Amino acid sequence: MVKKEEIIVVKDLVKNYKTESVVTKVLKAISFKIYKGEFVGIMGPSGSGKSTTLHQLALLDQPTSGSVNIKGKEVTKLNEKELAFFRLNHLGYVFQQYRILPELTSLENVFIPRKATGENRKIYINKAKELLTRVGLSHRYNHKPSELSGGEQQRVAIARALINNPDILFADEPTANLDTLSSEQIMQLFKELNKKSNQTIVMVSHDPEQIKYFDRVIKLIDGKIKDEKSYNKITSK
Amino acid sequence: MDSSLLDSFRVALFLSIKNITYKKSLFFSIIIIIGLGFLSMSFAGGMISGLVFMVEDEMIDNGLGNIIIEPKGNNELIFGANSLVNDIEKYPGVIAVSSRYERGVTLIDKNGKKLSAPLMISDIKKESKVSDLEKRIVAGNMISKGSRGSLLLPSELSNEHTLVESLPSLEISSGESISVLFDNGVKKEMKVEGIYLTDLMLFDLSLIINEKTAKKIFNLSDKELDVATKIIIKTTGRQQDDFVRKLIMENSVDGKISVWEEKTGSISEFFATLDLISLMTTLIGVIISFATIFIVIFINVSQKRSQIGILQAIGIEKRTILISYMIQSIIYGFFGAFMGFLSTYLIQIYTESSPVKTILGDLTIIISNELYIAYFTILLVASLFAGYFASRGIVKERILDAIFRG
């Protein structure tokens, strides 16, 4: 058994959504840890709180209560500016529907987060090209999203998420809109990133077929962790 | 920790240019709308200014002149008028000078109908240079400097040419004779050589005779006729008026010296009303343009809600996104205002070369450089406000709301 350093520590995480008269409890005080280099799948039926959990970890939303500690930093206490800085420099995010900017080429979509760090133009362009080549899009640098297939757009989104060498890569059902072949290719790409670069990946998935790619699966049902199963090299303490 | 403002600006500029060049048709649509806003702000005001300018010009050309010298204090006459006219004619900025000696007459037509009118005695040659009198003859001919016993009748006194039927007039046409009773008691049959009609009824009141005729009727010597009740000066342009007035004053001319603006009387109140209407029209134009630009830019930014959310999700600061949309708005505002300026300016140039013919004269659009700058600035500020407020609202949203509900 290999012990790894904790990269995410979630404790008693609660997320409620309030409408005028109704409070919907989506996450009910869940706690778990994720370790550096892990490929973790968050699974569960619809409405179980998978995406909500991911949104809290990726700092796209504020939890109602509880704590999220990333790399030893309590991120729920960060202000807006600090959150933006943390997202830019430590996290990468891949959306279900690609969400790349239609007016930018593949290359521009990829380098924009790096450009925002104040990096030298030559460096960020080379890095973006390197990543696009890595995801198999060396021939698509100057293509706009409308000229790319769904699988290709998702690869651009993955390259964009990796441009600032994130500590954690989050993905919210990244293959949900893709055909079987493209899905397989994207999952292979994630696995390769995880294995070769020791990239920590936290992915929401509803597809049981994808369990084979994960080191560990956190299963949620009705806002609570039903179980955690390890499949590969890394286990929880 | 914080990326510098310069980095923010670089990213914002990059995103703005990409956004604008992505949909060129949208860019052109927006700048056309802003351009039309410029036109709506400036056009009506420009027309009214043109109308005021036209009426003022008519007043200058048809009777007032640019500068008027009148007797000072209790004096009724300016003495040594001819030498004064000859002197002032030599001043820089002066085109022509004419002296007028005004008295009173009573006209009696063939039916015995009587009408009193002012009489203007003038050197017809000089008078034709300071006013458009010669061009305004609508029937018959102009009297010459040397003719005797003939007169020019204002249109309002002739029933054939009066514009306002209800005003009293005489049954007389050009070429016919009329009995004139002068204020010295002399009664004389005189030929109506011509009838004149200006664009302003205000100046269609005086009966005009030349100095030669006046000399005989009033039995005056050259020296006795060397007087004036008014000396009218035509300058090379309105901008020269103050300069010429100053020159006249510096040369110790004995008289009350006024520029035409001080002599417009009740018309100046009418002009003030027009100016007010012009201001109100401009203000309404400003409000409409502001609202239009705000709505157009707001809709444009609202359509980018999802992208704004995505940019935040990948770590782009709110400040950068806000700057980006403000840059876009300024670019829209700048090109829109420039387009509006260009269209308005071209219309202005067109009306200058082909004025709109109106009953009062040739109408051109007049917009000063200061107003062009003001309209330009207003539209830029409106665009900036619109971009700021529209994007601020969306940037303030929860990231997930912006992404998934955008």
Side-chain angles (χ1 to χ4, degrees):
Chain A
M1 187 186 287
V2 182
K3 282 189 179 175
K4 287 269 184 175
E5 66 175 282
E6 293 165 355
I7 195 160
I8 303 176
V9 179
V10 176
K11 202 173 176 190
D12 300 327
L13 190 67
V14 173
K15 181 67 188 178
N16 299 334
Y17 288 110
K18 284 181 194 169
T19 55
E20 278 176 18
S21 54
V22 182
V23 175
T24 310
K25 295 177 178 179
V26 182
L27 296 178
K28 299 166 181 169
I30 59 169
S31 301
F32 60 89
K33 289 174 182 174
I34 288 169
Y35 300 91
K36 187 171 168 58
E38 256 194 317
F39 190 175
V40 175
I42 299 176
M43 301 185 81
S46 287
S48 59
K50 306 183 294 289
S51 292
T52 305
T53 305
L54 200 75
H55 294 154
Q56 315 307 306
L57 303 186
L59 315 185
L60 300 184
D61 201 4
Q62 286 283 329
T64 307
S65 65
S67 74
V68 177
N69 192 302
I70 300 176
K71 285 192 78 189
K73 195 171 197 108
E74 182 48 54
V75 291
T76 54
K77 293 190 168 65
L78 298 179
N79 64 32
E80 269 184 9
K81 218 169 190 176
E82 291 167 332
L83 283 170
F85 180 82
F86 203 90
R87 277 195 297 269
L88 182 68
N89 291 282
H90 298 285
L91 312 178
Y93 199 94
V94 179
F95 294 90
Q96 184 179 327
Q97 288 160 318
Y98 330 131
R99 305 282 181 183
I100 52 178
L101 304 177
E103 60 269 26
L104 304 185
T105 63
S106 304
L107 193 69
E108 289 162 348
N109 260 296
V110 174
F111 73 54
I112 196 77
R114 188 81 174 210
K115 185 179 171 77
T117 64
E119 181 70 271
N120 176 286
R121 179 182 156 81
K122 203 174 170 183
I123 294 174
Y124 67 66
I125 286 179
N126 284 340
K127 176 76 179 170
K129 282 183 178 174
E130 181 197 316
L131 282 168
L132 280 171
T133 306
R134 195 170 167 188
V135 298
L137 292 177
S138 56
H139 59 304
R140 298 286 204 202
Y141 291 162
N142 296 315
H143 286 69
K144 294 262 171 71
S146 57
E147 299 162 333
L148 302 174
S149 68
E152 286 173 325
Q153 288 187 56
Q154 197 58 297
R155 284 159 194 260
V156 173
I158 293 167
R160 179 181 69 185
L162 294 170
I163 189 78
N164 284 334
N165 305 315
D167 295 306
I168 307 153
L169 178 61
F170 294 100
D172 188 2
E173 301 200 47
T175 60
N177 291 339
L178 301 177
D179 57 53
T180 315
L181 181 65
S182 300
S183 297
E184 198 67 26
Q185 288 170 341
I186 293 292
M187 289 310 291
Q188 287 292 350
L189 182 62
F190 276 115
K191 193 66 196 168
E192 191 187 310
L193 283 167
N194 172 247
K195 273 190 170 177
K196 289 187 179 169
S197 312
N198 200 32
Q199 176 70 55
T200 308
I201 303 174
V202 181
M203 181 185 292
V204 165
S205 174
H206 65 275
D207 184 359
E209 288 292 313
Q210 291 177 345
I211 291 174
K212 63 187 178 203
Y213 294 102
F214 302 138
D215 297 326
R216 184 159 57 102
V217 171
I218 296 170
K219 192 171 181 185
L220 291 174
I221 288 181
D222 200 20
K224 288 179 181 170
I225 295 174
K226 192 190 175 196
D227 59 39
E228 288 184 52
K229 279 183 186 165
S230 296
Y231 297 92
N232 296 308
K233 57 181 182 174
I234 306 159
T235 64
S236 56
K237 282 183 189 176
Chain B
M1 178 179 166
D2 185 16
S3 61
S4 74
L5 187 62
L6 189 64
D7 289 335
S8 281
F9 185 77
R10 276 189 192 132
V11 175
L13 186 64
F14 175 77
L15 290 171
S16 308
I17 291 166
K18 288 291 169 182
N19 242 319
I20 284 173
T21 52
Y22 179 57
K23 281 190 179 166
K24 293 184 184 75
S25 56
L26 178 71
F27 172 71
F28 286 113
S29 306
I30 293 175
I31 67 164
I32 285 170
I33 290 168
I34 297 174
L36 289 173
F38 191 105
L39 207 58
S40 78
M41 265 198 306
S42 55
F43 193 76
M47 288 283 274
I48 292 172
S49 297
L51 180 70
V52 169
F53 195 85
M54 181 183 73
V55 174
E56 288 172 351
D57 253 6
E58 291 296 323
M59 291 170 75
I60 293 168
D61 293 341
N62 288 308
L64 277 183
N66 291 80
I67 295 168
I68 306 106
I69 305 175
E70 291 166 299
K72 209 175 183 179
N74 294 327
N75 296 336
E76 287 181 353
L77 293 169
I78 299 166
F79 295 96
N82 290 337
S83 58
L84 191 57
V85 166
N86 291 336
D87 284 350
I88 296 173
E89 272 177 340
K90 290 170 194 146
Y91 289 177
V94 172
I95 291 178
V97 188
S98 176
S99 68
R100 291 175 186 169
Y101 182 21
E102 289 161 331
R103 300 184 67 145
V105 289
T106 302
L107 296 164
I108 306 143
D109 70 5
K110 52 194 168 193
N111 300 324
K113 190 176 176 185
K114 289 180 183 176
L115 268 183
S116 290
L119 169 73
M120 187 174 103
I121 304 158
S122 182
D123 178 333
I124 293 301
K125 210 172 168 187
K126 287 186 191 283
E127 185 60 34
S128 294
K129 285 181 186 171
V130 294
S131 72
D132 282 348
L133 184 63
E134 205 166 345
K135 292 182 203 163
R136 306 298 180 189
I137 303 293
V138 289
N141 302 300
M142 181 73 178
I143 48 172
S144 67
K145 189 178 177 178
S147 67
R148 270 190 199 174
S150 55
L151 56 85
L152 283 179
L153 196 70
S155 63
E156 280 310 315
L157 298 185
S158 158
N159 60 354
E160 264 186 41
H161 295 281
T162 184
L163 288 175
V164 186
E165 297 290 341
S166 56
L167 287 177
S169 57
L170 301 167
E171 199 176 321
I172 181 85
S173 302
S174 65
E176 293 178 351
S177 289
I178 190 162
S179 190
V180 185
L181 177 63
F182 292 90
D183 59 4
N184 61 347
V186 173
K187 189 176 178 186
K188 196 171 173 4
E189 281 294 310
M190 292 184 80
K191 185 187 169 195
V192 176
E193 189 69 39
I195 294 173
Y196 70 91
L197 170 68
T198 66
D199 292 327
L200 297 169
M201 215 172 67
L202 188 71
F203 298 109
D204 291 348
L205 300 173
S206 296
L207 190 109
I208 302 171
I209 59 172
N210 64 15
E211 288 175 320
K212 217 167 190 174
T213 305
K215 236 185 207 176
K216 198 177 171 199
I217 290 166
F218 294 103
N219 195 21
L220 297 170
S221 65
D222 282 349
K223 199 184 171 191
E224 283 168 327
L225 198 57
D226 189 15
V227 290
T229 46
K230 266 181 199 155
I231 289 175
I232 305 295
I233 298 150
K234 183 160 184 158
T235 65
T236 49
R238 296 181 189 195
Q239 66 279 9
Q240 293 294 321
D241 292 354
D242 284 335
F243 167 72
V244 174
R245 170 152 82 166
K246 205 175 157 198
L247 274 183
I248 297 168
M249 289 166 99
E250 280 170 0
N251 284 283
S252 307
V253 171
D254 189 24
K256 187 185 163 206
I257 304 154
S258 316
V259 291
W260 62 273
E261 284 164 303
E262 297 159 30
K263 291 285 168 188
T264 50
S266 58
I267 287 190
S268 63
E269 285 165 25
F270 172 62
F271 287 164
T273 310
L274 283 181
D275 282 342
L276 191 67
I277 293 169
S278 171
L279 181 70
M280 282 163 64
T281 315
T282 304
L283 274 177
I284 291 166
V286 168
I287 293 165
I288 292 171
S289 303
F290 196 96
T292 311
I293 292 165
F294 190 88
I295 291 164
V296 166
I297 291 180
F298 189 83
I299 291 170
N300 181 40
V301 176
S302 299
Q303 283 175 342
K304 306 271 171 63
R305 268 177 90 190
S306 175
Q307 291 183 42
I308 290 174
I310 293 162
L311 284 168
Q312 288 191 72
I314 63 172
I316 307 296
E317 267 191 75
K318 286 182 177 182
R319 178 179 70 179
T320 308
I321 299 166
L322 207 57
I323 294 172
S324 157
Y325 281 95
M326 284 168 74
I327 292 173
Q328 282 180 60
S329 301
I330 290 176
I331 292 172
Y332 286 132
F334 179 84
F335 283 101
F338 184 72
M339 197 175 173
F341 157 73
L342 209 61
S343 343
T344 315
Y345 189 64
L346 287 176
I347 293 172
Q348 186 179 350
I349 288 175
Y350 177 76
T351 61
E352 276 167 14
S353 61
S354 313
V356 182
K357 302 285 177 196
T358 72
I359 191 167
L360 289 176
D362 292 345
L363 177 63
T364 58
I365 290 171
I366 295 175
I367 301 165
S368 65
N369 290 345
E370 291 78 12
L371 268 180
Y372 271 125
I373 293 167
Y375 294 146
F376 206 97
T377 312
I378 287 167
L379 285 187
L380 269 189
V381 172
S383 307
L384 193 66
F385 265 90
Y388 175 74
F389 286 110
S391 47
R392 194 187 67 159
I394 295 166
V395 165
K396 269 188 168 179
E397 262 188 327
R398 281 175 72 233
I399 295 175
L400 295 174
D401 285 344
I403 295 174
F404 297 113
R405 293 183 196 168

